[in-house]
Amino acid sequence: MKTPYRKKVKSKYAIKLKHIPVLPPLGSGLLLGKKGPRKKVNFMVDLNILEGMKIFVPFGDRSDFVNDAVAYALKKAAQREAMEFMDKVRKEGKLQMTDKEIKEAINYGRK
């Protein structure tokens, strides 16, 4: 049985933006706190941060500490970018729709 072909209809309410921020997929483990495969990387940190890590983070736990800190920072950056994107859409869009048009847009493609 062949599925019916659905025409792509351009909505007059579509907002065209080049970049849409997206959080990593839930299966990636970043948002779930799961530990995945690891890879050794080299990067520079301030000496103050390194000294603080030596004092407060035990020797065997430093990789996990840095990994968790970077994952947290990435999650917050993605959230911040998503909020900025939503603000931009809200400011640029300024759609004026009637109740009927809103219902049609919500139910589009559900028949």
Side-chain angles (χ1 to χ4, degrees), residues 10 13-19 92:
K10 287 188 178 182
Y13 303 111
I15 297 172
K16 295 179 182 177
L17 295 171
K18 292 180 180 177
H19 176 68
E92 290 180 2

Side-chain angles (χ1 to χ4, degrees), residues 7-65:
K7 287 184 183 179
K8 289 188 178 182
V9 179
K10 287 188 178 182
S11 170
K12 63 180 179 178
Y13 303 111
I15 297 172
K16 295 179 182 177
L17 295 171
K18 292 180 180 177
H19 176 68
I20 298 174
V22 178
L23 287 172
L26 288 176
S28 70
L30 177 64
L31 299 178
L32 298 175
K34 293 181 181 175
K35 293 181 181 167
R38 295 183 173 212
K39 180 170 176 66
K40 186 173 184 172
V41 295
N42 294 321
F43 54 89
M44 305 290 285
V45 295
D46 290 341
L47 289 176
N48 296 334
I49 293 172
L50 183 60
E51 292 300 320
M53 281 181 54
K54 287 179 182 177
I55 294 169
F56 296 110
V57 182
F59 182 72
D61 295 337
R62 291 183 188 160
S63 291
D64 289 337
F65 179 81

